[in-house]
């Protein structure tokens, strides 16, 4: 055994854990560890547990056509007007109706469905109805679930089984993911024997590499284990040099202490660099952190409990840093419901929610309900149960959330409630690409709903664009009215052009709001409380138009994407929304009003919440401005400015 070039190596220094982590992270940055990552395309059925290397957007809408939600007949809703119990209306197959089953496309020219239970057969091709139907009744509109090109998965997200439904439904067969980091383990020790062998006196079964490999797989890596190397520094050096260039991280198991047969530190120091040897933790204090040939090398203590602790403290963060993501771990937490939820008696309901921490309390908001909704499943953080004996949950009720996402991701989540805007998806992707991995979750409840959420402590910020008809000012008076208990900073986000979206060629010849009347024009509105709805009502008032005279005025959608998808499909002729949505969906656009979409932030969070400060700083990012500006229909010149302080 040749050991002339090696000396017994004692600990360099037991340093505090946080100092060791910072010191080694700095070294990893110096050797550009994370830049060694590569990407690959995989089929979606092979993507579970992988980390997305880019944001994934829907290729097609789901459903991609308008379909029937019931078995029955498709009709023109106007054919049913006037039907009563005493004055029924007879409809004729072909001219007045077409038979449809659940899931069938709605034929051209028809816009509503009457359930088969509500029909009376007259003759072979005639039916009788005794009540009218509303426009779009029992119809599942195009893009009800997913509106292309909606954001499905953020960059750096761990793809879950729940995500596959929305990926497949939106027409995607492959996704780009970060390749598994390769971690090679070198067990050391003359006394080691393989699992399955019967150890003799003085021998030890080598099992550390087995459970370490399983942990690496759980954390998103790919493990390789070579045969144990005896306690010989020359043989250890040879093994390290042979494998280090074929892996992303090298781990030497045992030999990290200061005994007469502990050579790991000496070998690494000879052919590379030892950055840390000895950390003030128990168990695990003899850990070694260094590099060889520009690759991270870790010397892991041989005792299993020490190996596990050091792996969790140093190896796992290295793998996650390489993957630029977090890991999913099942967990439960106590939360508060952010909005009232109704539920039918007699049925136990399992409702999916998104969760964030606001002022020390976890706030849970329900995702979109519906048996056919896949995106709401993918976006959820967990599920709550509503007992069969309950008619629902009151706002502020305490619930237990069964998480399908790691608690650290939930804790690192910012909740923005209020008006929907496409640019928020770009902001969310920008934040997740940062080292902090902040997750921004939007709750599209309308501008008024967002401000009410802020006032109750159910969100960190609100997106709002509420016009004061008297002053022409945006948001200030609304915030004064709805948030009376604290000071609020108003930040400019984007200037937007609101107007009417119509199909290419503008077949109905719409030029202004008055043109929505007559000519058989079918309209799609935004939900009550949204800034877009408030603006539209203001424009109707200016034009002296009774909303009841607009066909479809009461038919609502919650996002600009969904309105654009409905217009693009031809299911409706026009919809109110922003220019960016029209451009993204290749629609024509009649501009009506320029507005300011702003973000309201309680002043108490500024300077006291790091994630809020990072988001506000991101608003000044030139990269973010360029990405949003490239969408078209936005003015980003004021982004990040403090427009006003209220309260």
């Amino acid at each position: 055994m040749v050991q002339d070039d090696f000396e017994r190596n004692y600990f360099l220094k037991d340093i505090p854990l946080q100092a060791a982590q910072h010191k080694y992270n700095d070294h990893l940055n110096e050797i550009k560890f994370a830049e060694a990552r590569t990407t690959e395309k995989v089929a979606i059925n092979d993507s579970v547990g992988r980390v997305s290397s880019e944001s994934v957007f829907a290729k097609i809408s789901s459903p991609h056509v308008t379909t029937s939600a019931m078995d029955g007949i498709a009709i023109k809703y106007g054919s049913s007007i006037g039907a009563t119990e005493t004055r029924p209306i007879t409809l004729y197959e072909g001219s007045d109706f077409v038979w449809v089953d659940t899931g069938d496309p709605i034929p051209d020219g028809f816009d509503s469905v009457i359930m088969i239970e509500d029909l009376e057969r007259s003759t072979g091709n005639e039916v009788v109805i005794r009540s009218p139907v509303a426009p779009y009744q029992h119809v599942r509109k195009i893009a009800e679930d997913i509106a292309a090109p909606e954001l499905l998965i953020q960059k750096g997200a761990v793809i879950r089984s729940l995500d596959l439904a929305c990926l497949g439904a939106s027409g995607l067969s492959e996704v780009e993911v970060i390749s598994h980091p390769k971690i090679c383990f070198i067990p050391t020790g003359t006394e080691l024997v393989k699992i399955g062998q019967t150890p003799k006196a003085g021998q030890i079964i080598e099992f550390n590499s087995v459970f370490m490999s399983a942990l690496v797989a759980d954390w998103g890596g790919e493990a390789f284990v070579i045969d144990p190397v005896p306690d010989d520094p020359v043989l250890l050096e040879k093994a390290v040099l042979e494998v280090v260039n074929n892996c992303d991280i090298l781990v030497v198991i045992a030999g990290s202490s200061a005994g007469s047969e502990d050579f790991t530190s000496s070998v690494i120091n000879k052919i590379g660099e030892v950055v840390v040897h000895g950390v003030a933790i128990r168990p695990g204090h003899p850990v070694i952190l260094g590099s060889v040939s520009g690759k991270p090398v870790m010397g892991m203590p041989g005792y299993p409990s020490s190996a596990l602790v050091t792996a969790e403290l140093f190896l796992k963060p290295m793998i996650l840093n390489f993957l630029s993501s977090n890991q999913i771990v099942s967990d439960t937490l106590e939360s508060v419901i952010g909005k009232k939820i109704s539920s039918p008696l007699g049925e136990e309901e399992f409702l999916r929610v998104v969760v964030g921490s606001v002022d020390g309390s976890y706030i849970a908001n329900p995702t979109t309900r519906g048996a056919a909704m896949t995106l709401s499943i993918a976006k959820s953080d967990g599920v709550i149960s509503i007992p069969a004996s309950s008619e629902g949950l009151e706002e502020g009720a305490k619930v237990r959330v069964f998480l399908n996402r790691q608690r650290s991701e939930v804790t690192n989540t910012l909740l923005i409630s209020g008006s929907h805007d496409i640019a928020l998806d770009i902001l969310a992707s920008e934040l997740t690409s940062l080292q902090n991995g902040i997750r921004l979750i939007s709750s599209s409840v309308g501008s008024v709903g967002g401000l009410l959420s802020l006032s109750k402590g159910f969100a960190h910020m609100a997106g709002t664009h509420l016009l004061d008809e008297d002053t022409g000012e945006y948001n200030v008076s609304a915030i004064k009215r709805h948030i009376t208990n604290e000071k609020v900073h108003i930040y400019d986000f984007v200037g937007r052009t609101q107007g009417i979206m119509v199909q290419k060629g503008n077949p109905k010849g719409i030029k202004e709001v008055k043109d929505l009347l007559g000519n058989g024009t079918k309209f799609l509105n935004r939900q009550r409380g949204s800034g877009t709805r408030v603006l539209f009502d203001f424009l109707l008032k200016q034009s002296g138009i009774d909303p009841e005279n607009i066909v479809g005025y009461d038919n609502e959608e919650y996002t600009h994407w969904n309105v654009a998808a409905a217009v693009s499909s031809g299911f409706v002729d026009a919809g109110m929304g922003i220019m960016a949505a029209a451009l993204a969906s290749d629609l024509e656009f009649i501009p009506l009003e320029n507005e300011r979409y702003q973000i309201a932030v309680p002043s108490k969070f500024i300077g006291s919440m790091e994630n809020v400060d990072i988001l506000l700083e991101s608003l000044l990012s030139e990269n973010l401005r360029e990405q949003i500006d490239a969408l078209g229909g936005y003015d980003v010149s004021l982004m990040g400015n403090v427009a006003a302080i209220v309260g």
Side-chain angles (χ1 to χ4, degrees):
M1 186 179 295
V2 180
Q3 300 182 6
D4 294 344
D5 295 331
F6 298 90
E7 295 180 1
R8 183 171 170 180
N9 211 354
Y10 292 93
F11 298 131
L12 299 178
K13 187 178 182 182
D14 263 2
I15 64 175
L17 174 60
Q18 191 172 36
Q21 290 171 325
H22 284 312
K23 188 174 183 179
Y24 196 51
N25 283 338
D26 288 342
H27 183 69
L28 293 178
N29 290 332
E30 289 173 7
I31 64 175
K32 300 181 179 179
F33 162 62
E35 294 182 19
R37 69 171 69 98
T38 59
T39 65
E40 59 182 321
K41 281 192 174 181
V42 298
I44 62 171
N45 53 305
D46 296 325
S47 68
V48 176
R50 304 298 296 273
V51 177
S52 60
S53 60
E54 58 186 14
S55 293
V56 181
F57 296 88
K59 184 178 178 182
I60 61 174
S61 297
S62 176
H64 64 281
V65 295
T66 299
T67 61
S68 174
M70 297 288 177
D71 297 336
I73 61 172
I75 72 165
K76 301 171 185 174
Y77 88 95
S79 303
S80 69
I81 295 175
T84 66
E85 283 290 332
T86 57
R87 299 180 63 185
I89 291 178
T90 299
L91 302 177
Y92 300 91
E93 186 175 0
S95 59
D96 294 329
F97 74 86
V98 174
W99 290 101
V100 291
D101 293 326
T102 300
D104 285 348
I106 299 296
D108 290 342
F110 297 93
D111 53 25
S112 298
V113 169
I114 301 177
M115 292 190 298
I116 196 168
E117 296 93 325
D118 296 334
L119 301 173
E120 295 178 19
R121 292 256 188 177
S122 178
T123 64
N125 64 343
E126 298 175 6
V127 296
V128 173
I129 60 172
R130 296 182 181 275
S131 62
V133 295
Y136 326 115
Q137 186 166 316
H138 302 317
V139 166
R140 190 174 179 221
K141 297 185 291 296
I142 185 171
E144 182 181 78
D145 182 9
I146 301 170
E150 188 168 4
L151 177 69
L152 303 180
I153 297 176
Q154 294 180 354
K155 178 181 179 181
V158 177
I159 299 172
R160 302 162 297 155
S161 303
L162 300 178
D163 295 314
L164 300 191
C166 69
L167 289 172
S170 66
L172 294 168
S173 61
E174 293 182 324
V175 288
E176 188 89 13
V177 298
I178 296 174
S179 300
H180 290 299
K182 295 178 174 60
I183 291 82
C184 183
F185 289 96
I186 303 179
T188 67
T190 307
E191 73 281 9
L192 298 179
V193 296
K194 293 182 179 180
I195 288 179
Q197 294 181 339
T198 302
K200 299 177 182 178
Q203 292 182 324
I204 299 173
I205 296 173
E206 197 288 293
F207 59 85
N208 277 337
S209 63
V210 175
F211 87 93
M212 282 294 146
S213 296
L215 284 175
V216 163
D218 287 343
W219 297 334
E222 187 176 359
F224 300 88
V225 182
I226 71 169
D227 289 337
V229 175
D231 292 316
D232 183 326
V234 175
L235 295 178
L236 180 57
E237 177 185 347
K238 183 173 181 284
V240 169
L241 291 174
E242 284 179 351
V243 302
V244 71
N245 291 322
N246 297 318
C247 63
D248 297 300
I249 302 171
L250 176 62
V251 180
V252 180
I253 302 177
S256 66
S257 192
S260 60
E261 295 182 338
D262 292 328
F263 301 111
T264 303
S265 178
S266 299
V267 169
I268 296 173
N269 197 47
K270 179 187 175 188
I271 60 178
E273 180 180 356
V274 173
V275 179
V276 174
H277 186 190
V279 179
I281 55 174
R282 186 184 296 267
H285 69 94
V287 65
I288 302 166
L289 304 169
S291 64
V292 173
S293 301
K295 300 291 182 68
V297 178
M298 178 178 176
M300 179 180 287
Y303 285 118
S305 58
S306 298
L308 177 58
V309 168
T310 55
E312 290 177 330
L313 290 174
F314 298 104
L315 180 57
K316 181 179 180 181
M318 273 194 279
I319 294 172
L320 298 183
N321 179 27
F322 191 91
L323 291 171
S324 187
S325 184
N326 286 322
Q327 170 75 2
I328 299 172
V329 176
S330 297
D331 198 359
T332 65
L333 53 80
E334 294 292 330
S335 184
V336 173
I337 284 293
K339 61 183 294 186
K340 184 177 180 179
I341 300 170
S342 298
S343 185
L345 277 171
E347 296 180 353
E348 183 176 6
E349 183 178 8
F350 295 91
L351 187 64
R352 299 199 172 271
V353 295
V354 292
V355 187
S357 177
V358 182
D359 257 359
S361 297
Y362 286 108
I363 307 299
N365 288 313
T367 58
T368 307
R369 291 159 112 171
M373 301 300 180
T374 60
L375 187 58
S376 63
I377 295 174
K379 285 189 171 182
S380 69
D381 296 328
V383 64
I384 63 172
S385 173
I386 303 176
S389 59
S390 171
E391 291 185 280
L393 298 169
E394 291 296 326
E395 182 184 272
K398 292 183 178 180
V399 294
R400 177 168 291 277
V401 180
F402 293 85
L403 294 175
N404 51 38
R405 197 180 299 276
Q406 189 174 0
R407 184 185 288 247
S408 63
E409 288 187 75
V410 171
T411 304
N412 209 28
T413 294
L414 287 177
L415 298 178
I416 180 166
S417 188
S419 175
H420 170 256
D421 190 272
I422 300 163
L424 287 176
D425 289 342
I426 306 299
L427 175 59
S429 293
E430 183 77 358
L431 288 172
T432 56
S433 68
L434 300 176
Q435 190 173 4
N436 307 67
I438 300 169
R439 203 170 57 121
L440 180 65
I441 297 296
S442 303
S443 180
S444 299
V445 296
S447 295
V448 172
L451 297 182
L452 291 175
S453 290
L454 273 194
S455 70
K456 297 168 184 174
F458 293 157
H460 297 103
M461 55 194 69
T464 176
H465 56 112
L466 290 169
L467 173 67
D468 186 325
E469 298 178 13
D470 297 325
T471 65
E473 191 177 41
Y474 277 91
N475 301 315
V476 172
S477 59
I479 290 172
K480 289 179 179 177
R481 184 165 60 253
H482 294 295
I483 305 177
T484 59
N485 54 344
E486 62 185 336
K487 184 189 294 185
V488 176
H489 276 61
I490 305 174
Y491 287 83
D492 281 309
F493 186 39
V494 290
R496 312 191 303 185
T497 303
Q498 288 269 16
I500 302 172
M501 294 184 274
V502 297
Q503 294 172 1
K504 281 288 188 182
N506 194 3
K508 295 292 185 179
I510 297 170
K511 296 180 180 178
E512 56 184 339
V513 172
K514 291 181 179 180
D515 295 332
L516 296 174
L517 298 170
N519 197 23
T521 300
K522 289 183 287 187
F523 181 76
L524 182 58
N525 212 346
R526 287 293 306 280
Q527 81 275 20
R528 286 174 173 81
S530 69
T532 300
R533 178 68 166 262
V534 171
L535 174 61
F536 184 61
D537 288 346
F538 171 66
L539 295 173
L540 291 181
K541 182 179 177 181
Q542 276 190 326
S543 301
I545 297 174
D546 185 346
E548 292 186 2
N549 293 328
I550 295 179
V551 175
Y553 174 83
D554 291 323
N555 191 36
E556 300 177 345
E557 284 290 1
Y558 281 77
T559 73
H560 297 288
W561 284 132
N562 291 90
V563 175
V567 175
S568 180
S569 72
F571 187 66
V572 296
D573 302 302
M576 188 72 178
I578 59 175
M579 181 187 291
L583 293 174
S585 301
D586 198 28
L587 298 172
E588 290 196 22
F589 184 79
I590 296 92
L592 298 177
E593 186 80 18
N594 293 320
E595 63 172 14
R596 296 174 72 180
Y597 183 99
Q598 297 172 318
I599 297 177
V601 184
S603 304
K604 64 184 178 183
F605 292 149
I606 301 170
S608 63
M609 279 194 66
E610 182 183 13
N611 285 354
V612 170
D613 292 340
I614 291 172
L615 181 144
L616 296 177
E617 184 177 339
S618 296
L619 297 181
L620 301 173
S621 162
E622 197 59 34
N623 182 53
L624 177 65
R625 294 185 184 208
E626 289 173 359
Q627 289 184 69
I628 295 175
D629 189 55
L631 297 174
Y634 286 111
D635 176 7
V636 296
S637 60
L638 298 177
M639 185 183 292
N641 291 349
V642 178
I645 301 175
V646 179

